[in-house]
C-alpha cells in the first residue's frame, strides 16, 4: 500500500471516523485511517441488544483501573472498543449531548470557539433526527438518532412520577432548548431498521468506494514519528510487523481518553519526569498529558415490579436530569437518572432479579479527578489508569441524594401501580456504603488532553498539540470537563468541529 498520505487518523471511533469522512470528501486529499481492531461485522455489534456479550471479548481493550481506595479497594474494568467504530460498536447507543453550560464552561476555561452556541451547529451537522430538523436538531446527516425505539422500555409510571415531583415532562427533549429538571425518553444512535448506528455504519460504510481513503484494520499505533518538533508520521504494528506511514499535512490522534495520551507519551510528549522514569526520551514537556481524567459513575437501585413486562431490548430508555448539590443554581446538572421498567434482555443472564425495575443514578459532574500514565515504555503494556473515583466526598453525597430521589419517585402515586418494593440496596441499607461498594463506571473517560492555554492544557482551541506542528488530538480526551451526559454525542461533535478546522484553518 501507499505509505505517504496527506492525513493519518489514529482510531475509528466517534471522532476519528467523522474526521476520516469529512477529510476524504475533498478531492485530491489522501487519508489513512488506522484502527487497532478488526471489522465491525459480527452480529452482536449490529444487534442493539448484543453489546453486553462483547464486553471482555476480543473487540474490547478490557482496560483496568488501579485499585480505588474510595471504592472499597476495587479495580474497575472500563470496556473500550477495539474494533472498527471503537466504543461506538460496544456501547449502549445513548445519545446525550450534555448541558449547554458544559460547553460555555469550556469556553470560560480557555476553549475559545467551543461555547454551546458555537458547537451546536456541529451536533446538528451529524444528525439525522427522526423528529426532523429544528433549532436544536439536524436532519439528513449521516448519524441516525431515534427516540427510544423499544416500546417495552417506555415507562409512563416513571415519567409521570417525575412530573408529580415537579420535573418537566413527560416528553422532555433533553437535547433541545433546556436539559435540566426534565424527564423524557432517551435518544439513541440506532438506524431506522433497528440496527446499531456505530461510527463505521454512519460515517465509513457509505464512503467505502472513495479511492483517497485507506482503512487499515489490525493496525495498532505505537509511536508518532517526529522530525524536530513536527510530527510527520505514525509507526504501527500490523500482523506482527512494524510499519510506518508518513503524513504530508497532519496526524490526527483519535484513540480515546486512555490511548491518545498513551500514544503521545510513548512518543516523548508528556510530563518530562514521568517519561524519564519509564525510559522514554522527552521530546516535548507537556505536564498535562494524561492528567485531568474524569469519568461518570453509576450506582444501581432495584425495585420489584408488579407488572409482568417482557424483557427490554435496550439497557434503558427513560431519563431525568437534576441538580443534587446545594448552591449550584448556575451549574449544569450533576445527576442523570436512567430508568428501566423491566430486566433488560442483555443483562438477564447476570442479574438475580427475574422481574424488576432498575433505576440507575449517574454522577455526571464529578469533582474527583485522576490520571493516565505509562506502565513502561513497551507499547504492548496497558496504560496505568487511576481515576481516583469518589475521592471527593461531594461525589458520594450526590449519589446518596440520588438514591433518596429514586425512593421519592417510587413513592409517587403515578409510580405506585408498578412498585413492588425496594430490593437493592434495601430500605435499611447504609447508602454511603452502598455507593462506595456498588458504584461503577459508565465508560465515559474524558479530559486527559484538554483544550486550553494554561500550563496543564495539551491542545489549543484548534486541537493542535502545544509546541508541536503537524498533530492534533480529536476525541473525548480534549474535553476540559466531562459533559453532563453520555460522551459519544460530544465525540461525534468534536470530530465534526476538528474536520472543519483542519479544512478551513
Amino acid at each position: 500500500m501507499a505509505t505517504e498520505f496527506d492525513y493519518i487518523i489514529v482510531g475509528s471511533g466517534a471522532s476519528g471516523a467523522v474526521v476520516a469522512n469529512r477529510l476524504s470528501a475533498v478531492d485530491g486529499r489522501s487519508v489513512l485511517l488506522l484502527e487497532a481492531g478488526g471489522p465491525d461485522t459480527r452480529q452482536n455489534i449490529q444487534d442493539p441488544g448484543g453489546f453486553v456479550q462483547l464486553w471482555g471479548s476480543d473487540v474490547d481493550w478490557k482496560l483496568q483501573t488501579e485499585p480505588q481506595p474510595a471504592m472499597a479497594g476495587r479495580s474497575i474494568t472500563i470496556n473500550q472498543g477495539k474494533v472498527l467504530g471503537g466504543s461506538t460498536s460496544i456501547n449502549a447507543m445513548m445519545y446525550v449531548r450534555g448541558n449547554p453550560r458544559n460547553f460555555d464552561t469550556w469556553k470560560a476555561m480557555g476553549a475559545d470557539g467551543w461555547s454551546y452556541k458555537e458547537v451546536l451547529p456541529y451536533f446538528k451537522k451529524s444528525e439525522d433526527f427522526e423528529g426532523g430538523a429544528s433549532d436544536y436538531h439536524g436532519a439528513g446527516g449521516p448519524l441516525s438518532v431515534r427516540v427510544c425505539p423499544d416500546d417495552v422500555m417506555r415507562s409512563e409510571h416513571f415519567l409521570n412520577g417525575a412530573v408529580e415531583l415537579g420535573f418537566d415532562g413527560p416528553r422532555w427533549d433533553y437535547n433541545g432548548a433546556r436539559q435540566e429538571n426534565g424527564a423524557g425518553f432517551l435518544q439513541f444512535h440506532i438506524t431506522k431498521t433497528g440496527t446499531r448506528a456505530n461510527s463505521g455504519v454512519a460515517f465509513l460504510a457509505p464512503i467505502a468506494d472513495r479511492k483517497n481513503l485507506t482503512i487499515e484494520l489490525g493496525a495498532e499505533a505505537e509511536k508518532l514519528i517526529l522530525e524536530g518538533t513536527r510530527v510527520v508520521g505514525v509507526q504501527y504494528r500490523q500482523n506482527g510487523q512494524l510499519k510506518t506511514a508518513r503524513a504530508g499535512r497532519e496526524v490526527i490522534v483519535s484513540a480515546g481518553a486512555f490511548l491518545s495520551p498513551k500514544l503521545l507519551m510513548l512518543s516523548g510528549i508528556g510530563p518530562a519526569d514521568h517519561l524519564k522514569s519509564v525510559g522514554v526520551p522527552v521530546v516535548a514537556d507537556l505536564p498535562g498529558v494524561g492528567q485531568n481524567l474524569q469519568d461518570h459513575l453509576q450506582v444501581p437501585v432495584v425495585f420489584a415490579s408488579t407488572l409482568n413486562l417482557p424483557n427490554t431490548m435496550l439497557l434503558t430508555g427513560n431519563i431525568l436530569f437534576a441538580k443534587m448539590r446545594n448552591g449550584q443554581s448556575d451549574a449544569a446538572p450533576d445527576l442523570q437518572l436512567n430508568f428501566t421498567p423491566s430486566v433488560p434482555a442483555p443483562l438477564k443472564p447476570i442479574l438475580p432479579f427475574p422481574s424488576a425495575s432498575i433505576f440507575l443514578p449517574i454522577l455526571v459532574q464529578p469533582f474527583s479527578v485522576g490520571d493516565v500514565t505509562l506502565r513502561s515504555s513497551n507499547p504492548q503494556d496497558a496504560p496505568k489508569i487511576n481515576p481516583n473515583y469518589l475521592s471527593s466526598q461531594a461525589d458520594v453525597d450526590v449519589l446518596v441524594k440520588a438514591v433518596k430521589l429514586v425512593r421519592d419517585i417510587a413513592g409517587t402515586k403515578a409510580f405506585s401501580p408498578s412498585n413492588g418494593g425496594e430490593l437493592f440496596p434495601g430500605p435499611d441499607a447504609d447508602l454511603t456504603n452502598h455507593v462506595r461498594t456498588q458504584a461503577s463506571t459508565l465508560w465515559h473517560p474524558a479530559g486527559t488532553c484538554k483544550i486550553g492555554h494554561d500550563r496543564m492544557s495539551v491542545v489549543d482551541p484548534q486541537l493542535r498539540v502545544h509546541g508541536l506542528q503537524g498533530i492534533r488530538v480529536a476525541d473525548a480526551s480534549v474535553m476540559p470537563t466531562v459533559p453532563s451526559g453520555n460522551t459519544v454525542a460530544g465525540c461525534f461533535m468534536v470530530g465534526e468541529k476538528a474536520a472543519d478546522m483542519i479544512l478551513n484553518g
Side-chain angles (χ1 to χ4, degrees), residues 74-343:
R74 293 177 292 142
S75 176
I76 306 297
T77 300
I78 307 182
N79 310 97
Q80 300 279 278
K82 186 181 182 181
V83 61
L84 191 70
S87 293
T88 71
S89 293
I90 69 168
N91 71 351
M93 298 156 289
M94 301 173 206
Y95 187 82
V96 186
R97 294 174 180 170
N99 189 275
R101 289 188 177 94
N102 297 143
F103 308 105
D104 292 341
T105 297
W106 291 4
K107 184 172 183 178
M109 294 174 68
D112 305 314
W114 292 83
S115 70
Y116 177 65
K117 182 179 179 180
E118 291 165 307
V119 301
L120 179 58
Y122 295 104
F123 280 115
K124 294 170 66 176
K125 184 177 182 179
S126 288
E127 198 177 49
D128 186 17
F129 183 58
E130 69 173 357
S134 68
D135 289 345
Y136 298 96
H137 288 285
L143 184 69
S144 174
V145 176
R146 302 176 61 190
V147 177
C148 189
D150 184 349
D151 288 340
V152 178
M153 181 63 74
R154 297 183 175 217
S155 174
E156 300 294 339
H157 296 118
F158 170 79
L159 296 176
N160 288 325
V163 171
E164 192 174 322
L165 289 182
F167 291 90
D168 291 316
R171 296 292 182 269
W172 189 250
D173 179 4
Y174 58 84
N175 285 328
R178 181 167 58 85
Q179 181 199 48
E180 59 263 35
N181 300 319
F185 296 133
L186 257 166
Q187 297 168 24
F188 295 84
H189 53 98
I190 292 177
T191 69
K192 293 178 175 66
T193 58
T195 57
R196 172 185 294 272
N198 68 346
S199 61
V201 167
F203 290 93
L204 298 177
I207 60 168
D209 60 346
R210 286 183 185 168
K211 304 301 183 186
N212 63 333
L213 173 62
T214 301
I215 300 175
E216 289 293 326
L217 301 178
E220 185 172 345
E222 293 192 349
K223 190 177 182 180
L224 301 170
I225 302 169
L226 288 100
E227 293 179 356
T229 58
R230 183 171 188 86
V231 175
V232 296
V234 179
Q235 177 179 294
Y236 63 97
R237 190 172 297 276
Q238 187 181 46
N239 299 322
Q241 292 186 315
L242 206 56
K243 302 181 179 182
T244 60
R246 290 182 67 87
R249 291 178 178 269
E250 293 191 35
V251 172
I252 300 95
V253 179
S254 299
F258 298 135
L259 301 185
S260 285
K262 177 189 173 185
L263 181 60
L264 293 181
M265 289 187 283
L266 286 171
S267 308
I269 305 162
D273 289 345
H274 171 60
L275 298 183
K276 292 174 185 175
S277 74
V278 293
V280 175
V282 179
V283 172
D285 180 13
L286 282 179
V289 174
Q291 302 300 302
N292 192 47
L293 172 61
Q294 299 163 49
D295 191 14
H296 293 155
L297 286 179
Q298 59 181 341
V299 62
V301 181
V302 183
F303 276 70
S305 175
T306 59
L307 307 175
N308 187 25
L309 295 174
N311 298 120
T312 61
M313 173 185 70
L314 302 171
L315 283 192
T316 188
N318 311 276
I319 191 168
L320 174 153
F321 286 96
K323 298 177 184 179
M324 295 288 99
R325 295 184 177 113
N326 296 327
Q328 298 280 321
S329 59
D330 293 330
D334 48 32
L335 176 69
Q336 174 180 325
L337 176 59
N338 294 349
F339 176 72
T340 305
S342 176
V343 173

Side-chain angles (χ1 to χ4, degrees), residues 10-11 13-16 19 106 114 252-261 445-449 451 463 472-480 487 490-492 494-495 498:
V10 179
S15 300
V19 175
W106 291 4
W114 292 83
I252 300 95
V253 179
S254 299
F258 298 135
L259 301 185
S260 285
T448 51
C449 297
I451 302 169
L463 306 184
R472 301 191 205 221
V473 180
D475 55 30
S477 70
V478 306
M479 299 174 176
T487 49
C491 289
F492 285 122
V494 168

